[in-house]
């Protein structure tokens, strides 16, 4: 007998680290984010609450973002190809910078523009406290993204929401609300409708479809500055 197991109707989520080669670049990125904030007209906040945003298309203004675009392009190719897309001609663009300096700053659940299929977020730092970079001696080639399936995300996390969470959880019936031998719902049914959460760290990156709803929780630390760099990946198609 043979079985055919299909992971049908998936939502692709990719996580990774760009590594030690980004350490100098990350400082330049943060410097250019603040240069842009202080010298350009910033767009009105949309999903962000109490955060600080740069203007858009930073790759057209700063060499640091052009360099980042090249690194992300090469990192993203395997995941995009594995999802069944052609990767012969892709570009990374539409960069902007987000600063969560206010401990209450967060982003409401939202999705990104549907003009392209892929989007993502890059994190240039674990966070900065009183001008000091946190964990600056970390070996970024050995670090792995802190990704968990949680119904109660950690402070400062990016949280990916399953578009049909209510349907999936309700399909479990009483099992959705009970526990067995000390194991809760997330233990017994990992990823089944529950949010996927990433705690930002230096050089961490995530890639996901633009339609996937997500949000950012407050980091709740009065001294911490948290940074995020959203981007898009565009693909050219034959007409």
């Amino acid at each position: 007998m043979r079985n055919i197991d299909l992971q049908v109707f998936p939502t692709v989520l990719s996580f990774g680290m760009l590594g030690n080669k980004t350490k100098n670049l990350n400082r330049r990125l943060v410097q250019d984010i603040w240069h842009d904030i202080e010298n350009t007209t910033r767009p009105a906040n949309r999903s962000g609450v109490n955060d600080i945003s740069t203007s858009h298309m930073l790759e057209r203004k700063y060499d640091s973002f052009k360099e980042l675009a090249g690194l992300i392009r090469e990192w993203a190719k395997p995941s995009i190809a594995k999802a069944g897309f052609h990767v012969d001609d892709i570009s990374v663009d539409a960069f902007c910078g987000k600063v969560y300096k206010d401990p209450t700053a967060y982003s409401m659940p939202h999705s990104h523009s549907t003009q392209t299929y892929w989007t993502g977020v890059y994190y240039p730092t674990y966070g900065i406290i009183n001008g000091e970079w946190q964990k600056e001696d970390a070996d970024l080639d050995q670090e792995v993204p802190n990704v968990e399936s949680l119904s109660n995300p950690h402070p400062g996390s990016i949280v990916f929401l399953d578009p049909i969470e209510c349907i999936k959880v309700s399909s479990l019936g009483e099992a959705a609300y009970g526990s067995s031998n000390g194991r809760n719902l997330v233990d017994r049914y990992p990823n089944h409708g529950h949010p996927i959460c990433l705690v930002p760290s230096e050089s961490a990156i995530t890639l996901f479809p633009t339609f996937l709803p997500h949000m950012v929780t407050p980091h709740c630390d009065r001294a911490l500055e948290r940074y995020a760099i959203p981007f898009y990946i565009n693909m050219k198609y034959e007409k």
Side-chain angles (χ1 to χ4, degrees), residues 214-230:
H214 55 285
M215 59 181 285
V216 177
T217 59
H219 60 68
C220 302
D221 187 332
R222 291 188 177 277
L224 181 70
E225 295 176 10
R226 176 185 175 277
Y227 292 79
I229 299 176

Side-chain angles (χ1 to χ4, degrees), residues 11 160-166 168 191-196 212-213:
T11 296
F160 297 97
L161 306 170
D162 191 324
I164 57 171
E165 175 183 358
C166 293
K168 287 183 176 180
N191 308 332
H192 190 80
H194 280 271
I196 304 299
L212 186 65

